[in-house]
């Protein structure tokens, strides 16, 4: 049995008072996330990994993928440990 697509429940005529459009006053009160989030959460936002394209040998990728979910992080850890 498949779940219905979320857009199947969308009602374009619905009243969206729970999410009103921002006013000039709302924008004036807005602050950057790093100012309002707890420091440990803000640090995660600013320290996000950079997406890159990297060519690796097929056997290297196969060995990391065989270790299961999180293999990208393990490649990152291996490169970090190599201190290149």
């Amino acid at each position: 049995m498949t779940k219905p697509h979320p857009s199947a429940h969308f009602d374009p005529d619905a009243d969206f008072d729970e999410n009103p459009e921002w006013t000039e006053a709302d924008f004036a009160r807005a602050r950057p996330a790093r100012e309002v989030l707890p420091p440990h959460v803000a640090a995660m936002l600013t320290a996000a990994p950079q997406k890159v394209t990297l060519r690796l040998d097929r056997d290297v990728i196969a060995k990391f993928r065989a270790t299961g979910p999180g293999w990208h992080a393990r490649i990152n850890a291996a490169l970090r440990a190599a201190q290149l």
Side-chain angles (χ1 to χ4, degrees), residues 39-80:
H40 69 282
V41 174
M44 287 189 290
L45 295 175
T46 58
Q50 180 179 355
K51 185 175 182 174
V52 298
T53 299
L54 179 66
R55 295 178 184 269
L56 300 172
D57 293 336
R58 290 178 188 266
D59 63 318
V60 171
I61 295 172
K63 287 179 183 178
F64 275 97
R65 278 189 174 160
T67 63
W71 64 274
H72 291 97
R74 285 187 288 281
I75 288 177
N76 188 65
L79 290 170
R80 184 178 297 281

Side-chain angles (χ1 to χ4, degrees), residues 5-67:
H5 191 274
S7 65
H9 301 291
F10 179 73
D11 179 2
D13 297 322
D15 185 12
F16 289 101
D17 284 342
E18 72 276 1
N19 191 13
E21 192 168 324
W22 277 37
T23 65
E24 291 296 323
D26 293 326
F27 280 106
R29 283 192 309 270
R31 296 289 173 259
R34 68 180 176 278
E35 291 180 13
V36 296
L37 293 175
H40 69 282
V41 174
M44 287 189 290
L45 295 175
T46 58
Q50 180 179 355
K51 185 175 182 174
V52 298
T53 299
L54 179 66
R55 295 178 184 269
L56 300 172
D57 293 336
R58 290 178 188 266
D59 63 318
V60 171
I61 295 172
K63 287 179 183 178
F64 275 97
R65 278 189 174 160
T67 63

